[in-house]
Amino acid sequence: MESEDGIRALAALAQPTRLEAFRLLVRHEPGGLPAGEIAKALAAPANTVSAHLGVLSRAGLISSERRSRSIVYRADLERVRGLVLFLLKDCCQGRSELCGPLLTDLAC
């Protein structure tokens, strides 16, 4: 991931509603959620949620797919992986004893 892409992704997540929407979508992988369900879960107006989803989409963190009359959103987990690797690539200057606890916390 390039620095500009990382900055764009982090900026998109630096807002409470967008962060919650993104985390909600991560929890609902791989099926995703329709826009209406996202708005209901966040207790936010549909047009506000739509604007936030647009920001997340332009940052490459989520994707959308039309299914009948609904638009279903999904988190792009590969992009998230790239962002995490971008942030941690030089973690602890290669000293595994320092990165070990972090990697343990990240393990499912």
Side-chain angles (χ1 to χ4, degrees):
M1 176 173 285
E2 299 293 324
S3 291
E4 286 299 318
D5 293 333
I7 291 167
R8 191 174 302 112
L10 291 170
L13 294 172
Q15 195 281 340
T17 303
R18 287 195 294 269
L19 180 60
E20 286 306 309
F22 178 74
R23 294 181 75 209
L24 178 68
L25 290 172
V26 169
R27 287 192 299 272
H28 283 85
E29 274 301 304
L33 282 175
E37 287 185 38
I38 297 168
K40 185 184 294 185
L42 299 177
N47 61 337
T48 300
V49 170
S50 178
H52 288 306
L53 293 172
V55 172
L56 292 169
S57 181
R58 285 187 295 279
L61 294 169
I62 65 172
S63 61
S64 62
E65 174 186 348
R66 181 167 289 283
R67 292 186 194 161
S68 185
R69 295 187 331 167
S70 296
I71 298 177
V72 176
Y73 290 88
R74 294 187 57 220
D76 185 337
L77 296 181
E78 190 58 34
R79 181 75 165 191
V80 173
R81 179 179 174 271
L83 179 60
V84 171
L85 288 174
F86 169 76
L87 292 172
L88 300 176
K89 186 149 180 129
D90 301 318
C91 176
C92 308
Q93 299 174 353
R95 295 176 54 200
S96 61
E97 72 275 9
L98 297 176
C99 289
L102 174 64
L103 296 175
T104 299
D105 287 347
L106 289 173
C108 293

